[in-house]
Amino acid sequence: MSTNGQPPRQFTLRQPPYTYYHLSLRRLALTSLQPQESVDEITARTHLSSALQQYLGLTGTAISIDILKVQDCNVWIRVPQDDEVGVTASLSQWVGTKDLTWKIEQKGTWLGGVTGRATGGRQLWDMGGEAQR
């Protein structure tokens, strides 16, 4: 019971509007995927657009991608739920110049689920300072 005597209200989102991705930019090697040194927002956007255009053509360039955070070789993005299949296929098959490729580290419909698994307990969304305890 809530404080006003009414039972608590519950609701379910059956179709979340977005899909969240944790990506890492990797360099293909003969034996394994090696992390790329670092990436910035402009380079990440360029590589993401290239992957979408290569797989989906002009339609791929129209997909809205929100870059949420870039850290080292990791990128967190948000795309509309309706475009999830096309984005996943595009990123999975893309190999760019200098043998760069995207690795999908995590994917989900809730940002907290994607970021929580990625950090291993560290604070992901701090603004550059040390994690406060």
Side-chain angles (χ1 to χ4, degrees):
M1 286 285 191
S2 66
T3 57
N4 63 3
Q6 298 287 332
R9 294 182 183 216
Q10 297 179 353
F11 67 94
T12 302
L13 292 175
R14 299 205 187 278
Q15 294 182 338
Y18 297 104
T19 298
Y20 297 89
Y21 291 85
H22 169 203
L23 307 170
S24 62
L25 190 62
R26 303 288 179 139
R27 185 175 306 279
L28 287 174
L30 295 176
T31 57
S32 65
L33 291 175
Q34 299 173 353
Q36 177 66 10
E37 304 263 329
S38 175
V39 66
D40 59 29
E41 290 84 359
I42 294 172
T43 305
R45 169 82 57 194
T46 302
H47 291 325
L48 290 167
S49 297
S50 175
L52 292 170
Q53 183 178 14
Q54 186 179 35
Y55 188 76
L56 298 169
L58 189 57
T59 305
T61 61
I63 294 176
S64 172
I65 296 178
D66 298 324
I67 296 178
L68 303 176
K69 183 171 182 172
V70 175
Q71 182 178 21
D72 300 325
C73 66
N74 295 296
V75 179
W76 287 264
I77 63 170
R78 176 178 77 173
V79 299
Q81 178 70 31
D82 294 340
D83 298 321
E84 174 187 4
V85 173
V87 170
T88 301
S90 298
L91 296 175
S92 298
Q93 64 81 36
W94 180 76
V95 177
T97 59
K98 300 180 183 174
D99 290 333
L100 293 176
T101 188
W102 287 111
K103 180 181 179 194
I104 300 174
E105 300 285 348
Q106 300 287 336
K107 178 182 79 146
T109 53
W110 301 104
L111 179 61
V114 173
T115 59
R117 290 178 283 190
T119 62
R122 299 184 319 263
Q123 288 188 356
L124 177 64
W125 300 105
D126 65 351
M127 299 306 288
E130 291 294 318
Q132 297 180 3
R133 289 188 163 65

